[in-house]
Amino acid sequence: VCQGLKVLCALAVGDVHRRSWLIEAGILPLIHRLTIDHAADVSELNLGDFFEDALPLCVRRQTARLLALLSADQNGAVAIQEGGWIPWLQHLALTSDCKVSSSAARTLLHIESARAVERTGGLSLVSITSSDGDRRGRHSTNMSTTKPLLPRRQEEEQDNE
C-alpha cells in the first residue's frame, strides 16, 4: 500500500492534469477506504487508537502527502473537503511526526485558500484602494467570521488565555 501511494504521489507532483485525472478517476474514495475506513474497522476491534495505531506510519505519511499534492488545485481542495477528510487531517496536523503533520497542515491551508477564493467569487483576497495613491489590503468581512481549519495545540490555546 505504501509503495502504491508513493507512486501516486510521484504521478501527482507538478502536473495539474494528472492531479485532475487522479481525482476524476476516483482516487479519493479509494484512499479513504484504505485509511479512514480501514482505521475505523480496526478500531471497532478495540486493537488501538483510531488514528495512531491503526495505520502504519508510511501509509499516514504518503496519504497526507498525496492529499497535500491533490489539494494544490481548486478542484482538488474542494473534492477533499467534500470527501470528509477535514477531521482526519486536523488530527494528523497535530501529530508528532513532522512529515505527517506538515503535509496535513498544508492540505488544510490549501482547502482554506480554496474556500476563500470561492467566497470572493474568484477575486483576489486583497483589494487595492487608490483614492490617495496608497495601497492597503482589506480583508473581506466574510473571512473574519470563518473558523480556521488548521487546529491549534492545546498548549497554545492555554497560553493565549
Side-chain angles (χ1 to χ4, degrees):
V1 173
C2 191
Q3 286 300 104
L5 289 168
K6 284 182 183 180
V7 170
L8 290 170
C9 287
L11 185 64
V13 170
D15 189 345
V16 66
H17 300 294
R18 288 183 190 162
R19 289 190 295 268
S20 294
W21 178 81
L22 285 170
I23 291 169
E24 290 169 13
I27 194 64
L28 291 175
L30 174 64
I31 59 175
H32 196 279
R33 178 68 191 124
L34 291 173
T35 55
I36 295 174
D37 293 344
H38 171 73
D41 293 345
V42 171
S43 70
E44 288 176 7
L45 300 174
N46 294 323
L47 296 177
D49 186 7
F50 176 80
F51 291 108
E52 295 301 324
D53 296 332
L55 293 172
L57 179 61
C58 68
V59 172
R60 283 180 282 162
R61 281 182 176 172
Q62 294 305 319
T63 301
R65 181 172 179 234
L66 181 58
L67 291 173
L69 291 166
L70 295 174
S71 68
D73 306 314
Q74 183 78 12
N75 292 337
V78 170
I80 291 168
Q81 179 180 356
E82 291 173 352
W85 290 94
I86 302 276
W88 192 70
L89 289 164
Q90 288 174 328
H91 178 81
L92 290 183
L94 297 174
T95 61
S96 59
D97 185 78
C98 288
K99 289 182 180 181
V100 172
S101 63
S102 66
S103 291
R106 188 168 48 143
T107 305
L108 291 169
L109 291 171
H110 285 161
I111 293 169
E112 264 191 65
S113 176
R115 290 163 105 187
V117 168
E118 283 183 356
R119 278 193 303 273
T120 61
L123 300 175
S124 172
L125 297 179
V126 177
S127 60
I128 299 174
T129 58
S130 59
S131 60
D132 58 358
D134 182 41
R135 290 182 168 197
R136 289 173 285 182
R138 294 183 301 183
H139 296 293
S140 165
T141 56
N142 298 1
M143 298 293 291
S144 61
T145 60
T146 304
K147 182 180 176 186
L149 291 177
L150 194 60
R152 296 176 63 181
R153 295 192 185 279
Q154 289 180 348
E155 301 88 37
E156 291 174 11
E157 291 175 5
Q158 291 172 352
D159 290 343
N160 290 336
E161 290 179 358

